Amino acid sequence: MPILEVKGLKKCFGNVAVLEGIDFSLQKGEALAIIGSSGSGKTTLLRCLNFLELPDGGSISVNDEIIFDASVPATQSEEEIRKKRLHFGLVFQSFNLFPQYTALKNVTLACELLAKDAADFKEDRKEILTDIENRAKLLFEQIGLSDKLYFYPHQLSGGQQQRVAIARALALNPDILCFDEPTSALDPELTGEVLKVIRSLADKKTTMVIVTHEMQFAREVSDNVLFIDAGVVVEAGKPEEVLLNPKEERTKRFLERYSNA
């Protein structure tokens, strides 16, 4: 049973169709790489999965439960959407850390806000907040930044900020972790440290959807690859199939352009 199943996902902005019926599934513990040219719909797809954009058509299922269906208004209420977002964690291209908070606070903030809604928060406040902080510190160990807990974003390099953003996404224990070109805002010398963290997550069988322009990285970490062009899935399969022996002409042209860029 797939942990994630997307059927017929559509999204339009005005008269422009950005996604025109996306279908794919993802097994628990797998990493899916999504590739394609700028404007092909990759980022919009991630934003729809995280409900930063509401799809205009299709359905999204997690753990065999339909969490969104464009034809069922009950799945589209604001309260339902807030719950659905917890299934997904999203690491943005440009970090999006809060500049007024330390790295540690950036990671614990969302967990603290959610905890305040719990019935036992007032009674067990100190214990709950201590547990949240301790779990965050373990994540900082995982990303290799235990010595940067109390640094502010402006005191960190781009690669360090992105690693903090990864820890923030992991803190809520999402079912599926999504990356939107996680190295595109980094200088080449900082790219490696972020890719190393993502590789370690893949080794631990973290379920991931990774939009990337790093073809070698996609071959190394992904279990499957989707090539999207003009809002449709052109080709899907194992990395060695899609990236090394593509069947579709559009895939071949994209890979040729990319290798010659």
Side-chain angles (χ1 to χ4, degrees), residues 118-130:
D120 60 346
F121 180 75
K122 288 185 179 180
E123 182 180 349
D124 300 325
R125 181 178 185 276
K126 185 176 181 180
E127 181 181 343
I128 291 171
L129 292 180
T130 298

Side-chain angles (χ1 to χ4, degrees), residues 1-9 22-28 30 32 45 48-49 51 55 57-69 87-88 175-176 207 209 226:
M1 179 184 74
I3 189 172
L4 172 65
E5 192 163 15
V6 174
K7 294 182 178 179
L9 205 66
I22 299 289
D23 297 282
F24 70 91
S25 63
L26 180 64
Q27 298 294 326
K28 183 176 177 62
E30 286 188 344
L32 173 69
L45 174 57
C48 286
L49 289 179
F51 299 101
S59 66
I60 302 170
S61 298
V62 175
N63 290 321
D64 210 30
E65 175 188 356
I66 295 176
I67 64 168
F68 175 85
D69 188 328
H87 288 291
F88 300 89
D175 294 305
I176 300 146
T207 308
V209 178
L226 291 186

Side-chain angles (χ1 to χ4, degrees), residues 64-90:
D64 210 30
E65 175 188 356
I66 295 176
I67 64 168
F68 175 85
D69 188 328
S71 65
V72 181
T75 66
Q76 301 169 43
S77 70
E78 185 58 38
E79 181 180 357
E80 284 296 310
I81 287 172
R82 281 198 299 270
K83 293 177 185 176
K84 294 164 190 170
R85 286 190 180 125
L86 297 177
H87 288 291
F88 300 89
L90 177 59

Side-chain angles (χ1 to χ4, degrees), residues 84-209:
K84 294 164 190 170
R85 286 190 180 125
L86 297 177
H87 288 291
F88 300 89
L90 177 59
V91 179
F92 297 90
Q93 293 183 35
S94 53
F95 325 139
N96 285 7
L97 299 179
F98 293 108
Q100 70 271 34
Y101 295 136
T102 64
L104 179 61
K105 187 67 173 180
N106 266 280
V107 173
T108 61
L109 182 60
C111 296
E112 291 170 358
L113 293 174
L114 283 174
K116 289 178 181 178
D117 292 332
D120 60 346
F121 180 75
K122 288 185 179 180
E123 182 180 349
D124 300 325
R125 181 178 185 276
K126 185 176 181 180
E127 181 181 343
I128 291 171
L129 292 180
T130 298
D131 181 59
I132 289 172
E133 183 171 308
N134 287 340
R135 285 189 285 115
K137 288 179 177 178
L138 288 174
L139 287 171
F140 274 87
E141 287 182 21
Q142 185 176 342
I143 63 172
L145 290 176
S146 293
D147 59 336
K148 306 293 185 184
L149 293 171
Y150 303 106
F151 282 51
Y152 287 86
H154 75 273
Q155 297 173 308
L156 302 173
S157 70
Q160 290 168 340
Q161 289 185 61
Q162 190 63 298
R163 283 188 277 166
V164 173
I166 292 171
R168 178 179 59 184
L170 288 169
L172 291 170
N173 294 314
D175 294 305
I176 300 146
L177 186 59
C178 301
F179 294 88
D180 187 8
E181 297 197 5
T183 62
S184 65
L186 300 177
D187 294 332
E189 62 268 24
L190 299 177
T191 295
E193 63 188 62
V194 173
L195 297 183
K196 181 180 178 181
V197 171
I198 301 174
R199 284 189 185 95
S200 72
L201 294 172
D203 290 340
K204 294 174 182 176
K205 297 299 181 183
T206 303
T207 308
M208 296 185 287
V209 178

